[in-house]
Structure formats: structure tokens, C-alpha cells
Amino acid sequence: MSELSTHSEPHAFDRAMALEPAGQNQYAAQASKDYWNMVGPYGGITAAQVAQAVLQHPQRLGELVAITVNYAGAVGERPYVIEAIPARTNRSTQHWIITLREQDAQGQWSTTTTATAMTALARDTWSDDEYAMPEVPPANAVERYTTDFRVEWLNRYSIRPLLGGYPTEWDGATSPSLTRMWVSDEPPRPLDVPALTSLCDVFFPRIWLRRAKRVPVGTVSLTVYVHASAEQLTAVGTQPVLAQAQGQGFRDGFFDQTAQIWSPQGVLLATSHQLVYYKE
Amino acid sequence: MSELSTHSEPHAFDRAMALEPAGQNQYAAQASKDYWNMVGPYGGITAAQVAQAVLQHPQRLGELVAITVNYAGAVGERPYVIEAIPARTNRSTQHWIITLREQDAQGQWSTTTTATAMTALARDTWSDDEYAMPEVPPANAVERYTTDFRVEWLNRYSIRPLLGGYPTEWDGATSPSLTRMWVSDEPPRPLDVPALTSLCDVFFPRIWLRRAKRVPVGTVSLTVYVHASAEQLTAVGTQPVLAQAQGQGFRDGFFDQTAQIWSPQGVLLATSHQLVYYKE
């Protein structure tokens, strides 16, 4: 046996990112049981698969800078097809339209996810993080989060809450929905663009914190802007990142959430905005 | 001559929203000269046309709640086709994929804009604006904005700056990029979803304020979440709305901007996030 055969199992995240080329612009995929949520995969892992389909496309130009994923219908346990179409290629930017389509037991195809993305060649310019990282204790000074809310995907992250933690009393008291926490993949894994995309969805629903009431929810649209350069992601490595989210408006069945992710050195790695359905 | 023939010209915004049905899922359109920017139409008016294509589609279910528009290539003066495809229709929500395609002088088609949108049936639920409107003087107590920056679309809006106005000295001094201003269509026009979508792009580029330096810029992706109900939009009518925007991260040729729009009575009407290219 060679040395190579003794390497450990691939990380659950890498298994989830293993898309099988299946014809022009198409990839065969399946929802990861390692990242299972209550009735389907964790939204972040689906967004990461969309990012991954673009990133491993042979015609891809540049790095991922913007992605919007719309959760149109339930992703189930069946295999599905990710189609990533380069809709427009410019000299330094490229725009993508991505869909996930799944065949039901009767052979009927339906679209479960729609998305758009933009990639761009890296350029070194004047840069500035206007939204500075809040002053917080280092990750190793903060206790890991434990909760009675058990879903499989939460086992894939190490979360150390700093502010706006998971409610311990569901008493209907109104609170600011601002959450700050240190987060890393569990077990640790070097940060890359798909993992960063996934992290932008790691927060428990803002409405649960705002109302101290656990109502049914589901993200319907997630946008991620990647500010980090390849070098900045490499510099993060397996260190935890600081993740922050807050709701802005809760109205007639939908609320939105803005989010920011910083490296432990204070580099703004990504910003995100999402819209979430809630039921009364 | 009947009374009807004496009515005034349609509003420039309504002219820009007049899309011509051109086959299944397709509309013939043209960029509005009334909303012309430096080298193409104002991005907000293109986003509004995308919203309008969805809203006037015969299969549309419910009201627009989320839209992401990606500016993939220059929209010129030639006619183009907006295709709005209902990719997934659920009981109470519907997901759309929209593209703008233009034919060049050689007859070659290219995609200039990609977009996704979600519509949903209105539901009355517990609601709460966590992001409260800042305390500001009423619109009629604030002077209208005038600037040396002349583009046609700016004539279509009445802007009354409160904070973070257009720089008067381009001296390279770093400032917060937070802008607040009262804005309304000019001449006044009752607010609706396409007009609100367009308003979310009304801010001058954050980097100009942050750096006090006028570098070339262009929005590459714009996301708008509509929080307002139909009744809340009707209640605004032709009153100015409070528009706020701030940059978060400026890095390697792209910066992002979060934005909020409130009614004068303090109702959060829309939140938005956009990514903007800048050149050095």
C-alpha cells in the first residue's frame, strides 16, 4: 500500500461539492445528507453547489464575485441536474444563469432552484473595508454553542456565539435580531469560495430572535458578494471567521437579513442579503 | 374632441414601462432616452422594466417580493427583447428567470441583462420594521439638490439631500459613505413596485463619497426586496420617500452598497443590496 492510500476520508464539505460532469453545462448532483436540514438540505450547501458548478465549468473566466440563489421548491433526496450556462462573457467579467432540476417518481422534471452569478478576473485596486469588524474577544476565548435544536448540518459547523445567541426562553419578548458569532467548518477545513458562500447562510432565522418565537421559516433568496481575494482566503485557512447578521424588515410573510463575514484579522470577506419566508 | 383627448402626456416613467407583448414570455422594449445615463440607460430603469415584464405577464401569481438584476453588458439604443419565464409556480409563490437580449448591427444576438425574481400572494401576518427610519426633517424643509453632474435620468427625480451629499470637493478625503435623502419622481407620480425598484438605484456611487474621487463605475448586480404591501404603496402616493445607502466593502474593483427606502410615515418599503464595478 502506498502512502497515499492512508489519507483520511474526504471532508463532508468536499463530498457535497463533488459534482459529476453530465454533458454540456450540466452536472449530476445530489443533496448532501451530511448537511441535511429539517426537510431538505441546508440552504447554504445548495448555494455552495451552485457556486461550485460555476467554478468547475471549463469556460469559467475569473473568480466568483456575486451569486444569487433562489430556493424555488423543495430539494429532495433524489439525484438532480445543475445546469450552469455562461450567458455573457466579456473581457474581464462573465455572467451565469444556473438552475437545479429534479425528476419526480413519475418522470416529471421540475426546477427546484434558480440562480445567477458573476465571475471576474482578479484586479488589484485601492481597497477599503468601510464596515470595520466589531471588537470582539478571540474565538478561543468563547465557548462553543450547544442548543436543543438538532439538525444534521449544524454538526458540520463549530459556532461560538458572542451576541444575539439562540433564544433560551420562547417568551415572545422583542429583541434586536443582531447576532455575532465565530464560525468554522467542523472538522476545520481551509476556507474557499464555496465554503464562504455556504457560511453566509449559517445564522438561525432572525425572526426567532426578534420575536422569541419559533415559527416555520425558509430562505427564498440568498445573495452573496465575495470581497475576499484568493490570497485573503488562503490567509484565513482553517481559522474561525466572524459572522454577523441582522434583520431589517419583517412584513406579510417575508423578512430580510443582511450579513457580513470577517477574517479574524478583520478583513471583510463577504457580505450577504437574504429574504426568508415565515409562516404564522 | 372628447374630454379624454385633453389628458396630458403619459409620465416618462410610464412610457419607459410600456413593453410590447411579442410572443410567449417575450416583450419588445427599448431603453428610455428620458432615463439615459452616460453611456446607456440608468440601471434603475432597466431593473424596473424587468419587474414590469414579470408584473404584466399573464401567468403571474401574486406581487413582486424579490428581484435580482445583473448588468451583464451595455444596453444600447437599439430595440431589445425581454424574456420572462415562470420557472416554477407553487401554490403561493412563483420564481422567474428573465433575460434582456439585443441584436447587433450584424444580426448577432447577445444577452445584456440576466435576472431572477420571485412573486408571492399577499398574506397579512405579524410585521415589524426592525430598521426604524432615522429622524430627519420633513422633505418640504429641505432644499432640492443641484449638482454639476449632468445626466438625463437625474432630471426624472427630485432629490433633497440630508446627509452624505454629492461631494463638492474632490480632494481624496475619506468619509463615511452614508447618504440619506428625500426622493420622488419628477414630476410626481404615484409610487408602485416598478418605480420603487428603480428608486433603489438612485444613489450616486458610494466610492465617490468614500474617497472624494470620481472614478468610472457601473452597477453589476442589484437586488431589491419589496417589503411594502399594495396598500402601503398606495398610501405613499406621490409623497417623497426617504432613501438611505452605505457602502460596506471596497475591494479589487468592486464595492457593495446596502440601501433602505422608507415612506414619510416611517414604513420600510424596500431594502436593497448592490455590487458596483469601479476602475482605477
Side-chain angles (χ1 to χ4, degrees), chain A residues 65-66 68 70-74 87-88 90 92-93 95-99 110-112 114-118 120-132 174-178 206-207 210-211 220-223 225 227-229 232 246-260 267-269 271-275 277-280, chain B residues 65-66 68 70-74 87-88 90 92-93 95-99 110-112 114-118 120-132 174-178 206-207 210-211 220-223 225 227-229 232 246-260 267-269 271-275 277-280:
Chain A
V65 293
T68 293
N70 303 287
Y71 303 90
R88 168 94 181 206
N90 300 312
S92 61
T93 63
H95 284 263
W96 297 82
I97 299 175
I98 308 102
T99 53
S110 63
T111 299
T112 62
T114 68
T116 58
M118 190 182 82
L121 292 177
R123 273 187 323 122
D124 191 25
T125 71
W126 172 87
S127 296
D128 174 44
D129 289 348
E130 180 165 0
Y131 202 148
T174 302
S175 311
S177 73
L178 176 63
R206 300 297 84 200
I207 194 168
R210 182 70 178 158
R211 299 184 75 184
V220 293
S221 189
L222 169 69
T223 290
Y225 299 148
H227 297 288
S229 66
Q232 288 170 327
Q246 185 159 20
Q248 298 187 116
F250 305 75
R251 189 90 51 78
D252 294 349
F254 296 97
F255 71 85
D256 75 321
Q257 162 191 302
T258 57
Q260 298 80 28
V267 175
L268 185 62
L269 301 172
T271 53
S272 174
H273 202 185
Q274 71 167 259
L275 191 71
Y277 162 87
Y278 62 92
K279 193 176 171 181
E280 288 274 322
Chain B
V65 293
T68 293
N70 303 287
Y71 302 90
R88 168 94 181 207
N90 299 312
S92 61
T93 62
H95 285 263
W96 298 81
I97 298 174
I98 308 102
T99 53
S110 63
T111 299
T112 62
T114 68
T116 58
M118 191 183 79
L121 292 176
R123 271 185 325 120
D124 191 25
T125 70
W126 173 87
S127 295
D128 174 46
D129 289 348
E130 180 164 0
Y131 203 147
T174 302
S175 313
S177 73
L178 176 63
R206 302 297 83 200
I207 194 168
R210 182 69 178 160
R211 298 183 74 182
V220 293
S221 189
L222 168 69
T223 290
Y225 298 148
H227 297 288
S229 67
Q232 288 169 329
Q246 184 160 20
Q248 297 188 114
F250 305 76
R251 189 91 51 78
D252 295 348
F254 296 97
F255 72 86
D256 76 322
Q257 162 192 302
T258 58
Q260 298 80 28
V267 175
L268 185 63
L269 301 171
T271 52
S272 173
H273 202 184
Q274 71 167 258
L275 191 72
Y277 162 87
Y278 62 93
K279 194 176 170 179
E280 287 275 320

Side-chain angles (χ1 to χ4, degrees), chain A:
Chain A
M1 301 287 283
S2 78
E3 279 286 299
L4 278 172
S5 68
T6 65
H7 72 285
S8 58
E9 282 233 326
H11 195 284
F13 190 85
D14 291 303
R15 283 201 302 273
M17 292 305 108
L19 311 179
E20 194 65 42
Q24 197 188 6
N25 297 333
Q26 299 205 338
Y27 299 89
Q30 200 152 359
S32 165
K33 287 299 193 136
D34 296 321
Y35 287 85
W36 205 251
N37 200 352
M38 283 175 290
V39 292
Y42 162 59
I45 206 73
T46 304
Q49 283 189 337
V50 170
Q52 178 66 12
V54 168
L55 291 172
Q56 75 175 64
H57 195 291
Q59 287 164 258
R60 191 245 310 172
L61 177 79
E63 306 301 321
L64 188 77
V65 293
I67 183 169
T68 293
V69 180
N70 303 287
Y71 303 90
V75 173
E77 299 178 36
R78 305 173 66 87
Y80 47 84
V81 172
I82 306 181
E83 186 174 49
I85 298 171
R88 168 94 181 206
T89 303
N90 300 312
R91 259 184 316 174
S92 61
T93 63
Q94 193 173 40
H95 284 263
W96 297 82
I97 299 175
I98 308 102
T99 53
L100 264 64
R101 285 196 298 268
E102 196 169 312
Q103 210 172 9
D104 68 16
Q106 286 73 46
Q108 188 74 33
W109 286 92
S110 63
T111 299
T112 62
T113 312
T114 68
T116 58
M118 190 182 82
T119 54
L121 292 177
R123 273 187 323 122
D124 191 25
T125 71
W126 172 87
S127 296
D128 174 44
D129 289 348
E130 180 165 0
Y131 202 148
M133 184 169 83
E135 283 189 36
V136 293
N140 60 18
V142 185
E143 285 294 311
R144 252 191 93 170
Y145 166 89
T146 52
T147 162
D148 61 350
F149 187 65
R150 299 259 170 261
V151 284
E152 187 56 30
W153 72 268
L154 270 175
N155 298 325
R156 303 288 86 75
Y157 289 102
S158 168
I159 296 178
R160 296 167 192 274
L162 295 153
L163 184 72
Y166 193 80
T168 50
E169 290 189 45
W170 302 98
D171 57 2
T174 302
S175 311
S177 73
L178 176 63
T179 286
R180 285 180 189 146
M181 55 200 200
W182 289 108
V183 191
S184 55
D185 285 303
E186 179 61 42
R189 177 182 174 277
L191 190 62
D192 57 17
V193 167
L196 180 60
T197 302
S198 182
L199 273 170
C200 287
D201 192 37
V202 78
F203 309 91
F204 65 89
R206 300 297 84 200
I207 194 168
W208 294 3
L209 182 54
R210 182 70 178 158
R211 299 184 75 184
K213 184 175 175 186
R214 210 155 71 180
V215 294
V217 293
T219 299
V220 293
S221 189
L222 169 69
T223 290
V224 174
Y225 299 148
V226 177
H227 297 288
S229 66
E231 295 71 26
Q232 288 170 327
L233 287 177
T234 303
V236 174
T238 60
Q239 298 175 92
V241 296
L242 183 69
Q244 173 176 288
Q246 185 159 20
Q248 298 187 116
F250 305 75
R251 189 90 51 78
D252 294 349
F254 296 97
F255 71 85
D256 75 321
Q257 162 191 302
T258 57
Q260 298 80 28
I261 310 273
W262 289 271
S263 81
Q265 289 73 38
V267 175
L268 185 62
L269 301 172
T271 53
S272 174
H273 202 185
Q274 71 167 259
L275 191 71
V276 182
Y277 162 87
Y278 62 92
K279 193 176 171 181
E280 288 274 322

